[in-house]
mmCIF file of all heavy atoms in Angstrom:
data_model
loop_
_atom_site.group_PDB
_atom_site.id
_atom_site.type_symbol
_atom_site.label_atom_id
_atom_site.label_comp_id
_atom_site.label_asym_id
_atom_site.label_seq_id
_atom_site.Cartn_x
_atom_site.Cartn_y
_atom_site.Cartn_z
ATOM 1 N N PRO A 242 267.058 59.613 85.529
ATOM 2 C CA PRO A 242 268.244 60.178 84.916
ATOM 3 C C PRO A 242 269.329 60.209 85.981
ATOM 4 O O PRO A 242 269.047 60.446 87.160
ATOM 5 C CB PRO A 242 267.811 61.582 84.528
ATOM 6 C CG PRO A 242 266.639 61.901 85.389
ATOM 7 C CD PRO A 242 266.017 60.607 85.800
ATOM 8 N N LYS A 243 270.525 59.935 85.597
ATOM 9 C CA LYS A 243 271.611 59.862 86.565
ATOM 10 C C LYS A 243 271.855 61.268 87.123
ATOM 11 O O LYS A 243 272.002 62.231 86.366
ATOM 12 C CB LYS A 243 272.863 59.361 85.853
ATOM 13 C CG LYS A 243 273.847 58.676 86.775
ATOM 14 C CD LYS A 243 274.942 58.064 85.934
ATOM 15 C CE LYS A 243 276.322 58.141 86.562
ATOM 16 N NZ LYS A 243 276.432 58.552 87.932
ATOM 17 N N PRO A 244 271.843 61.405 88.440
ATOM 18 C CA PRO A 244 272.045 62.741 88.991
ATOM 19 C C PRO A 244 273.474 63.220 88.714
ATOM 20 O O PRO A 244 274.389 62.411 88.587
ATOM 21 C CB PRO A 244 271.822 62.544 90.487
ATOM 22 C CG PRO A 244 272.114 61.104 90.719
ATOM 23 C CD PRO A 244 271.719 60.378 89.484
ATOM 24 N N ASP A 245 273.630 64.566 88.638
ATOM 25 C CA ASP A 245 274.975 65.104 88.486
ATOM 26 C C ASP A 245 275.756 64.931 89.779
ATOM 27 O O ASP A 245 276.922 64.577 89.771
ATOM 28 C CB ASP A 245 274.906 66.592 88.120
ATOM 29 C CG ASP A 245 274.171 66.816 86.806
ATOM 30 O OD1 ASP A 245 274.518 66.124 85.835
ATOM 31 O OD2 ASP A 245 273.250 67.651 86.768
ATOM 32 N N PHE A 246 275.051 65.220 90.891
ATOM 33 C CA PHE A 246 275.724 65.122 92.183
ATOM 34 C C PHE A 246 274.810 64.484 93.220
ATOM 35 O O PHE A 246 273.595 64.640 93.177
ATOM 36 C CB PHE A 246 276.121 66.518 92.673
ATOM 37 C CG PHE A 246 277.102 67.197 91.756
ATOM 38 C CD1 PHE A 246 276.737 68.348 91.059
ATOM 39 C CD2 PHE A 246 278.378 66.682 91.572
ATOM 40 C CE1 PHE A 246 277.630 68.966 90.197
ATOM 41 C CE2 PHE A 246 279.276 67.303 90.714
ATOM 42 C CZ PHE A 246 278.903 68.437 90.029
ATOM 43 N N ILE A 247 275.443 63.792 94.142
ATOM 44 C CA ILE A 247 274.692 63.218 95.256
ATOM 45 C C ILE A 247 275.179 63.894 96.533
ATOM 46 O O ILE A 247 276.369 63.887 96.835
ATOM 47 C CB ILE A 247 274.913 61.704 95.351
ATOM 48 C CG1 ILE A 247 274.375 61.027 94.085
ATOM 49 C CG2 ILE A 247 274.238 61.137 96.593
ATOM 50 C CD1 ILE A 247 274.654 59.537 94.014
ATOM 51 N N VAL A 248 274.226 64.484 97.250
ATOM 52 C CA VAL A 248 274.566 65.131 98.511
ATOM 53 C C VAL A 248 274.229 64.167 99.637
ATOM 54 O O VAL A 248 273.136 63.619 99.697
ATOM 55 C CB VAL A 248 273.773 66.437 98.684
ATOM 56 C CG1 VAL A 248 274.094 67.065 100.040
ATOM 57 C CG2 VAL A 248 274.094 67.404 97.559
ATOM 58 N N GLY A 249 275.182 63.932 100.516
ATOM 59 C CA GLY A 249 274.968 62.994 101.604
ATOM 60 C C GLY A 249 274.784 63.694 102.929
ATOM 61 O O GLY A 249 274.983 64.915 103.047
ATOM 62 N N GLY A 250 274.398 62.912 103.937
ATOM 63 C CA GLY A 250 274.242 63.492 105.257
ATOM 64 C C GLY A 250 274.203 62.402 106.304
ATOM 65 O O GLY A 250 273.839 61.262 106.024
ATOM 66 N N LYS A 251 274.641 62.735 107.508
ATOM 67 C CA LYS A 251 274.586 61.794 108.615
ATOM 68 C C LYS A 251 273.213 61.894 109.268
ATOM 69 O O LYS A 251 272.489 62.858 109.025
ATOM 70 C CB LYS A 251 275.690 62.117 109.625
ATOM 71 C CG LYS A 251 277.075 62.061 108.981
ATOM 72 C CD LYS A 251 278.162 61.965 110.012
ATOM 73 C CE LYS A 251 278.693 63.352 110.377
ATOM 74 N NZ LYS A 251 279.818 63.247 111.332
ATOM 75 N N PRO A 252 272.828 60.913 110.046
ATOM 76 C CA PRO A 252 271.449 60.892 110.518
ATOM 77 C C PRO A 252 271.177 61.785 111.737
ATOM 78 O O PRO A 252 270.920 61.277 112.816
ATOM 79 C CB PRO A 252 271.207 59.414 110.847
ATOM 80 C CG PRO A 252 272.541 58.894 111.188
ATOM 81 C CD PRO A 252 273.549 59.709 110.428
ATOM 82 N N PHE A 253 271.262 63.107 111.576
ATOM 83 C CA PHE A 253 270.679 63.963 112.597
ATOM 84 C C PHE A 253 270.244 65.288 111.983
ATOM 85 O O PHE A 253 270.658 65.643 110.873
ATOM 86 C CB PHE A 253 271.592 64.144 113.815
ATOM 87 C CG PHE A 253 273.001 64.582 113.505
ATOM 88 C CD1 PHE A 253 273.311 65.940 113.430
ATOM 89 C CD2 PHE A 253 274.005 63.654 113.308
ATOM 90 C CE1 PHE A 253 274.614 66.352 113.171
ATOM 91 C CE2 PHE A 253 275.300 64.062 113.037
ATOM 92 C CZ PHE A 253 275.614 65.407 112.967
#
Side-chain angles (χ1 to χ4, degrees):
Chain A
K243 205 172 143 11
D245 299 311
F246 297 114
I247 297 175
V248 177
K251 301 197 267 183
F253 52 89

